[in-house]
Amino acid sequence: HVDASRDWTAVRSVGWGVAVVTHHPVIGRGPTEIRTETLTRWDFPVRFAGAAVITPDGPFAVGSIHLKAGGSLDTPEDQRRFDEAREIRGVMQRLALIAAGAPGDDAPVTVLGGDYNHNGHPKVPANAIRGLDIDGSPLTMAYTPVLGTDSRYSFGGPAYGHRRSFLDYIAYPDARAEVTAAFVLDTEILSDSSLAGMGLERSDSS
């Protein structure tokens, strides 16, 4: 849900299913199309959209990510994810430089969130976030429990035999920012009164 009384900007790419949507000024955009250097049987563009944005809390470099699905450890799909992550990291570095050039003394906050499809090698997400914090360290994956539980998952539900897995992450710079509240919303497990209070349907997160 967005506030219809405000003007919004959606930064997209030809890679489907990704966007950065903001009502703050956009001062830089990622490329509309990214291709991996390594040739594979998957020739579609990398699913990524990114922007440099000025907010009341300073400049941000923000990316929306959806890496290749399927496969497992060290499969061709995993290699494709690794190559996609490398390309995305390069774009995020360039967006952070644009954000750093904004007026003021604030260092940019770099945030990279979305579907990492992390069902293979740990090097895949690590390759996407390496060196993107302002102190040269990797970004940190935010702790995002499912609202009302101690569980962590972001995918699954009735359509998948109630199997659940954790594929989606939000990475942030812990040298520059602090997470004060973050959670995953699973409307299937909420009470009727909770759903009514938030104006949600039980199937909203299916």
Side-chain angles (χ1 to χ4, degrees):
H1 303 288
V2 296
D3 184 351
S5 66
R6 295 185 173 191
D7 292 328
W8 295 83
T9 300
V11 179
R12 301 179 295 171
S13 72
V14 298
W16 58 268
V18 289
V20 173
V21 181
T22 178
H23 59 80
H24 298 300
V26 174
I27 61 170
R29 298 169 181 251
T32 57
E33 182 173 347
I34 304 173
R35 300 276 179 170
T36 59
E37 292 184 3
T38 304
L39 297 178
T40 68
R41 66 176 182 268
W42 301 286
D43 62 353
F44 54 79
V46 176
R47 293 177 291 188
F48 170 82
V53 182
I54 302 301
T55 80
D57 294 314
F60 277 65
V62 185
S64 173
I65 185 174
H66 189 171
L67 298 182
K68 176 73 181 75
S72 56
L73 181 66
D74 292 333
T75 60
E77 291 88 348
D78 213 24
Q79 182 60 49
R80 164 76 185 199
R81 283 189 288 271
F82 183 81
D83 294 339
E84 290 175 336
R86 180 180 60 241
E87 298 296 332
I88 288 168
R89 186 181 73 249
V91 175
M92 291 301 297
Q93 288 171 329
R94 294 191 290 274
L95 289 172
L97 287 174
I98 294 173
D105 298 325
D106 292 325
V109 175
T110 299
V111 178
L112 182 60
D115 189 348
Y116 285 71
N117 268 311
H118 185 23
N119 53 5
H121 203 290
K123 70 182 181 182
V124 171
N127 201 30
I129 63 178
R130 177 164 51 86
L132 292 181
D133 205 332
I134 60 171
D135 60 359
S137 65
L139 297 179
T140 298
M141 297 299 189
Y143 177 68
T144 53
V146 176
L147 183 65
T149 77
D150 293 325
S151 301
R152 295 188 73 193
Y153 59 85
S154 63
F155 176 80
Y160 301 91
H162 294 276
R163 296 189 307 273
R164 291 177 169 87
S165 55
F166 196 57
L167 303 176
D168 304 82
Y169 299 83
I170 297 177
Y172 74 99
D174 63 0
R176 171 70 173 84
E178 179 183 358
V179 176
T180 58
F183 59 87
V184 172
L185 179 64
D186 183 0
T187 52
E188 183 191 355
I189 67 172
L190 296 179
S191 67
D192 291 339
S193 59
S194 294
L195 292 171
M198 291 186 283
L200 299 172
E201 300 289 337
R202 190 165 300 283
S203 60
D204 279 350
S205 61
S206 297

